[in-house]
Amino acid sequence: MGENNNSRKLISGRPKYILDARSPLCSGCQHGIISRIICDVVEELDIADKSIGIGGVGCHAMCMFTMNIDFVQALHGRAPAVGTGVKRGTDGNCIVFTIQGDGDLAAIGIGDLINATTRGEKLTTIFFNNSGYGTTGGQLAPTTLIGQPTTTTPLGRKEGEGGFPIHMAELMANFAGVAYSARCAVNTIAQYKSAKKAVKTAFQKQIDGIGYGFVEILSACPPLLKLKPIQARQWFEKHMLSEYPLGEFKNVDELKVNYQVV
Amino acid sequence: MEKKKKIIDIEINKEYCKACLFCIDSCPKQCLIMGTELNSTGFTSPVFVNQGNCTGCAICSLLCPDMAIQVFEILN
Amino acid sequence: MVEKVLISGNEAIGYGAIYADCTHYFGYPITPQNELIEFMAREFPKLGRTFVQAESEFASINMVCGAAATGRRAMTSTSSTAFSLMQEGISGIAAMELPCLIVDVQRGGPGAGSTQHSQMDYLLATRGGHGGYKNIVLAPFSVQEGFELTQLAFYLADKYRIHVILLSDGILGQMYESVSLEKHEFPSLPEKTWAVKGSATNNCQRKFIHNSPGIIGSYYDYMKRSKEKYDKITENEVRYSSYEIEDAEIILISYGSTARIVMEAVQKARKEGIKAGLFRPVTLWPFPREHLYKLADKTNKFLVVEDCMGQMVEDVELALQGKAKIDLVSSLDRNLPTGSGMIISTKVLEKIKNML
């Protein structure tokens, strides 16, 4: 890492909490940008040394290998359950966040995620949505777009047959235990800045003991789309943003109790 | 009085770069072009040109998925 | 003065956990262990400890994983069909070498089986899920022993950095017996320096507890370390109990609540002049192989009594290495054809006589 010295000042470089090694991700995988955001946020909030991340199974899990933060690996889909154990195990003193991908969060793990909010767990989840299963070679995900070809929908996903893309950020906003739910992207610098603000807000909800923080961050997967990185970004701008609107879907400073038996 | 223009230097970690071209594509001032030198894994990496045009916005650094770009302001 | 209470087998395990300073319980209701989860729900918050009712058994085992990763004494309890659900989680815990306690109060299987006792999870408990890891398996046969073995379980788990399974059953879980509530003292244990609590606790060097020994680091090292661990446990932690075995001409082998039935059968046999004895494994893994093998010098008549279609009998066959004839009293010998059927002592006595 470069240093400041008398002759020059660092404006932007590698985040403090990224380990010094080549990223294991594919060329053009935007997961790397998301992990930069997480690292910068934990640094700015000064919680890096009391944060514990829970990684799931999938390409997002590569971030476990690159971040200089305590991590526990969870089985596929179980990150919110493991996160619950870690949060309770540290008596709520640590900031516990999960990083999960399409399958981990929206398929096999959707029950654990929703129930974590039902139980009122104060965790933070960063959802890496790239509309497919990258690690296993490019299969259908709950987030795959209608018409999008994958290795298990070679003719393109058909509604009624392959199903419908799931909108996690909107869904999460419905749950009483969720204090913050947003969807972002990291294609342009403006999107990047919004994404960073959203991630910071989501972590703050946990720090302040308010409730569950959820940020869905869209990204393009060049190997899944069988496109070069730049073309994948263009595909993303055209298609992903047409299906998945960006924005905040819930942002509260207090969780609402509907009714209480007295 | 005219605001003094920043002088920027950009360092690219050739070994970390995977030639995704995001930085070249995102730079609003066309200060990066693809180089020809291969790293140990077979990727080329960008070269900083047109230094005079660079404003130090650091978009290249922030949007680099491999965090291979450092942006410095040259002082005095 | 040690406090004595009249409690159920399920509750005794709860008491054992309290006395063992277990701080985190995660579970899900399932018959016939609901008394245990309800006991934990009442008692743990009173003591400032953590109780969470999870949304499923795979959630609860993964919560145990998370809490154990932070160095806390954590446990869950379940029964047969949901014990199956936990296998992936237990395999993950084995890969991570996390200490914890999993209680299986056996009910009938396969599938939803019955809601009443059985001993049909022996192979599942002792063999485990994918990956070929080992579980320490402790099998109490009384409410008192359930209380004591729970405390032992936490000690062994921390001593070896391994998960422990306590194998109970519906009869043991529901029956009431008097228990002396005494806290067992164990040798001191090293600090859990491997636990994850935020990098500030480790001079800002981060820790990463993973469940992929074949992807991260050396697979060979993990397997070698596991083998050394299992060898040590096998050498040092075998536990069993013998009853009327010294001059036995026929040796019965049974564990858990069925062993109590067998004890009664042995007593009845002795009254009729038959020299029967009971060998009761307390650790189902490590199985007391060597001790059984030596018993084959006394007699060549062995009768395994278990409430399933023959699972522990396989381990007995392995242990005896063909030195003796082994018969079996199984679930087909229950007194009733329904889920409530039991192996009763008259049937066992009948079999003993047939063998002689």
Side-chain angles (χ1 to χ4, degrees), chain B residues 19-39:
Chain B
C20 68
L21 303 179
F22 283 2
C23 53
I24 294 168
D25 194 52
S26 306
C27 177
K29 301 286 183 186
Q30 289 85 50
C31 295
L32 293 161
I33 59 167
M34 186 47 85
T36 52
E37 194 186 318
L38 293 174
N39 68 12

Side-chain angles (χ1 to χ4, degrees), chain C residues 277-338:
Chain C
L278 164 66
F279 180 84
R280 179 173 71 85
V282 174
T283 51
L284 301 180
W285 191 89
F287 193 70
R289 281 182 171 192
E290 282 175 21
H291 303 86
L292 256 180
Y293 186 73
K294 282 201 196 92
L295 285 179
D297 291 336
K298 277 188 202 291
T299 172
N300 68 347
K301 292 191 175 53
F302 288 83
L303 175 60
V304 174
V305 183
E306 51 176 342
D307 197 354
C308 62
M309 297 307 293
Q311 295 186 26
M312 184 172 63
V313 67
E314 293 180 12
D315 277 347
V316 172
E317 278 167 7
L318 274 172
L320 293 179
Q321 296 178 46
K323 251 171 99 174
K325 185 178 179 309
I326 305 164
D327 268 292
L328 175 68
V329 168
S330 74
S331 298
L332 284 176
D333 298 304
R334 283 182 170 191
N335 63 345
L336 295 172
T338 61

